[in-house]
Every structure is written in structure tokens, then in C-alpha cells.
Amino acid sequence: MSLPDAILGTLRAVLPAAPFTPLHEPEFRGHEWDYVKDCIDTGWVSSVGAYVDRFERDLAAACGTAHAVAVVNGTAALHVALELAGVGAGDEVLCPSITFIATANAISYCGAVPHFVDIEEASLGLDPQALERHLEQIAEQTADGWRNRLTGRRLAAVVPVHVFGHPVRMAELQAVAARFGLPVIEDSTEALGSTVNGKPVGGDGLLGTLSFNGNKIITSGGGGAILTNDPDLARRAKHRTTTAKKPHRWDFVHDETAYNYRLPNLNAALGCAQLERLDDFTARKRTLAGRYADAFRPLSGVRFFEERPGTTGNYWLNAILLDDAEQRDPVLATLNDAGFQSRPLWTPMHQLDMYRACPRADLSVSDALSGRLVNIPSSPKLADAVAS
Ligand SMILES: *Cc1c(COP(=O)(O)O)cnc(C)c1O
């Protein structure tokens, strides 16, 4: 049997029969309707309201951080988190090339330049050793911090991404970043619900970011959040995402050129109801991932991507790794033709026109993996019924 057919047979054995199985589908079986209706009934649908405050409290509790600031989407969260970490025009920010476009775009919004570093196969995230080796080669210390001696630009921050919810090696990355005086901003937009030694992902960096887009593990329709343990950064995050308006009974005085990145109460209401379901979603997604792992084990030429020991991923998107990149497109064609929505890894950032000229380290692992990875259906409900 061909590899694409063997993989198709494996999906058929694991997943419930259906004419079409999306890659990831939101599920609304809790209090979503009640909370959204409450917004409409009370008139509190827009930029302030009790659900925004509650969502922020509940998110901070879920992520084990002192503060969470709700914003309009994950990209906006990254943009403001980078600004608050001091990233500005002409700076360079170290990040993976294997990520969703938002990471690189948010760096660009600050007038800064992404500087791509390789990932490791074990976590699909930034490789601490590769980061350290690269910084040893290109970084030089100046009176006001470290700069890239090849470009002359200041090195301003490191942004690891927990790809598909698989936690990066945060402690090691933090140690390397600290050695070069770089703040860490965690792109945790895919990792809500993932833990390392029982501790939720997202609160280890100076700032962390979440997304609640429709395809993420929980959704508020659209939305995002900035996480931090620093009360001053939390206050600044709220101020800069709410037009920097000074509190006053009637005066409109704004003390900075800031953003309207507020999350509407209507979206926060949906988010609150979804967050109540997070543990359930994560548990079912892990059940599904376990079934995939077992079912793929006997196959040769492909393996199911499993979490790194010591980490508990949310398995936001399940992934298989093919031995041979030549098989990727035939596999994608076979699965999609049979109604199992599947897709390749994002095109690496350094291969996109806007980011081709950006500084980069050796990216051989990124290049090799990007041709071999396929995401397969991952909705929590797929764990509920076992295929016949
Ligand atoms: C989803 C995502 C974002 C951005 O989130 P939006 O809410 O869509 O703006 C950022 N980074 C990564 C890695 C993501 O997957």
C-alpha cells in the first residue's frame, strides 16, 4: 500500500466517519449562548463590561499569572507586548522562522526587524543551543546593551513560539536570553492549556500572549490577551490598548498616542464560557492525540508528533512527520480528497518576500521540517466517538 493510502487508512481507523472533517472546529456546548445573550439583554456589547473584567481574571487564574489584559486579537497582543518590552524602530528581535505570520508582523509593526533562529525537532520551537551559538557569533556588547555586529542593529528581545501547543525549552531559552540581556516575550497563542511540570505555559517570560481566534483551542470569535506578572507592565498594557485615556468622569484626555485594541464585552462573554471548557477540550484533544499516536506507531515512513518528555501539550493541532518530503503533497492530496482537512506547516518566514532579506542563523532544521510536516484533524469532538 502507498504511504498516502496507509495514512488515510489510519485516519479512518481513528476518526468518526463523516463526509468532511475540518482541521479544527470550535465547540459551543457550555454557557456561550447564556453569556452572549446576557450582553445583548443588558446592552453591554461593546468596549467595556463585566465580561471583559471577568475574562481577564479567569485567564490570569488559568495561566497562573498575576495579570491578563484582554485585547482584540493575538497579533495586537504581540504588538503591544513587544512595545512594552522596549522593542522599537531599528531593533532586531530573535524569533523562529517556523511560526504563523503574526509573530513576524508584530515585530515589523514596532519598526523592528525579525531575526530568524532555528528550531529543534523535539519541540518544534526555538532551539536554546542554536540561539546561544548564534548569539555568540553575532552579538557584541555595547554601552546600551547588545547589538548584531553584522548589521549594527540593537538586539532587543527573544520571542519563542509554543508551536501547536508544544512547550519550548523555556528555562534554557531564558538563561541564554538573560546572558545577552534580552527580555523574553512568549508567543503562547497556540498553547493555552499546555503545562510543564504541572505549571501552565505563558507566564515565564516578561510578557506572554494568547489568541482566541476561531481556530484556537478556545475562541472568543476573535480576541487575544497579554499575560504578565508585573503590575506596572499590566497597567501599561491596559492603558496602551485602550487609547491611553486618563480616567475621568467626563473629560477625554489621552496622554499617549496609543491603540484601540479593546476586546468587546460580547467577545469576552463568549471567551468566558469557552474558558470554562478548557480542561475538557484539552483532555479530549489529548485522548485523540493518544489514539493517533497508537495508530501511527506500526506505520513506517511517518510518525505522529508527540510531546517532549516532561511537558503536557494541549495538542492544539495534531501533526505527523513524514520521513520523505516528496510524500508531503501526495499525502495532502489524498487526505483532503477523502474529506479529512489537512495542511502543511506554514511557509517559513524567511521564504516569504517581506522577510527574505532579514538576518538569520542557520535554519537547516526549519527548512527540513517544513517540507515534512502535515497537520491532521484535531477538534475535541473527534475523541468522543470511536470509528467503527
Ligand atoms: C494565532 C496566532 C497568532 C495571532 O493570533 P490572532 O488572534 O489570529 O491575531 C500569533 N502567533 C501564532 C503562532 C499564532 O498561531
Side-chain angles (χ1 to χ4, degrees):
M1 201 194 298
S2 72
L3 184 66
D5 286 339
I7 293 172
L8 176 60
T10 306
L11 261 58
R12 286 209 167 111
V14 170
L15 301 176
F20 178 68
T21 306
L23 187 66
H24 197 275
E25 214 179 350
E27 180 182 298
F28 305 110
R29 295 200 321 217
H31 292 123
E32 288 85 356
W33 181 244
D34 296 339
Y35 296 173
V36 169
K37 185 171 183 303
D38 185 36
C39 293
I40 295 169
D41 288 346
T42 59
W44 290 92
V45 295
S46 193
S47 48
V48 290
Y51 286 108
V52 175
D53 302 335
R54 174 174 159 192
F55 195 36
E56 291 179 337
R57 280 196 309 274
D58 293 354
L59 283 169
C63 298
T65 56
H67 307 277
V69 174
V71 296
V72 71
N73 58 48
T75 312
L78 277 165
H79 179 196
V80 171
L82 287 160
E83 273 193 0
L84 293 179
V87 175
D91 288 342
E92 277 176 26
V93 175
L94 298 134
C95 67
S97 179
I98 300 297
T99 183
F100 176 60
I101 190 75
T103 316
N105 282 350
I107 293 167
S108 304
Y109 300 163
C110 298
V113 176
H115 182 149
F116 303 117
V117 178
D118 215 359
I119 59 167
E120 53 163 12
E121 184 163 335
S123 68
L124 300 176
L126 272 187
D127 179 340
Q129 266 120 46
L131 177 67
E132 183 158 43
R133 274 195 311 272
H134 185 60
L135 284 169
E136 280 169 355
Q137 279 169 14
I138 61 111
E140 73 182 359
Q141 198 161 18
T142 66
D144 53 16
W146 291 76
R147 64 173 190 175
N148 179 345
R149 57 181 181 75
L150 306 177
T151 61
R153 286 190 286 248
R154 188 176 82 97
L155 298 168
V158 181
V159 184
V161 181
H162 305 287
V163 171
F164 307 144
H166 293 293
V168 300
R169 278 176 218 277
M170 235 353 236
E172 286 150 272
L173 287 170
Q174 295 258 70
V176 176
R179 189 185 147 193
F180 293 90
L182 300 168
V184 177
I185 295 121
E186 272 180 88
D187 185 337
S188 307
T189 48
E190 302 181 0
L192 180 62
S194 299
T195 60
V196 178
N197 300 320
K199 185 173 178 282
V201 158
D204 290 322
L206 181 67
L207 296 139
T209 58
L210 298 173
S211 165
F212 315 112
N213 190 35
N215 63 347
K216 294 298 203 300
I217 188 159
I218 69 161
T219 186
S220 58
I226 300 169
L227 303 170
T228 186
N229 289 309
D230 182 321
D232 190 50
L233 285 174
R235 211 175 26 75
R236 298 270 306 128
K238 192 70 181 175
H239 196 59
R240 287 201 60 71
T241 55
T242 56
T243 71
K245 184 180 178 297
K246 290 169 79 166
H248 191 278
R249 282 176 68 195
W250 47 74
D251 277 341
F252 272 73
V253 180
H254 305 259
D255 58 8
E256 292 171 23
T257 306
Y259 307 102
N260 174 11
Y261 279 172
R262 288 178 288 215
L263 182 72
N265 200 48
L266 202 53
N267 297 85
L270 191 57
C272 285
Q274 286 269 288
L275 192 52
E276 292 173 354
R277 306 287 314 285
L278 176 64
D279 290 348
D280 174 58
F281 290 163
T282 308
R284 284 150 73 216
K285 286 165 78 68
R286 290 183 58 78
T287 299
L288 176 63
R291 285 190 198 142
Y292 274 136
D294 290 342
F296 274 102
R297 214 158 276 137
L299 268 61
S300 54
V302 59
R303 83 184 160 79
F304 181 73
F305 189 87
E306 289 183 81
E307 64 200 3
R308 193 164 56 82
T311 68
T312 306
N314 64 6
Y315 283 92
W316 168 56
L317 284 189
N318 291 301
I320 53 174
L321 265 177
L322 307 165
D323 290 352
D324 179 4
E326 297 287 315
Q327 293 281 353
R328 188 192 75 177
D329 289 351
V331 167
L332 285 166
T334 300
L335 298 185
N336 283 296
D337 285 351
F340 295 109
Q341 191 181 25
S342 304
R343 68 176 198 206
L345 196 55
W346 313 280
T347 301
M349 298 301 110
H350 69 283
Q351 292 174 17
L352 299 176
D353 284 343
M354 315 79 84
Y355 297 121
R356 220 180 278 282
C358 291
R360 64 171 96 151
D362 171 75
L363 297 174
S364 41
V365 178
S366 304
D367 282 325
L369 286 180
S370 70
R372 293 172 40 214
L373 192 139
V374 172
N375 288 123
I376 54 177
S378 303
S379 306
K381 76 168 190 190
L382 298 176
D384 300 348
V386 189
S388 50

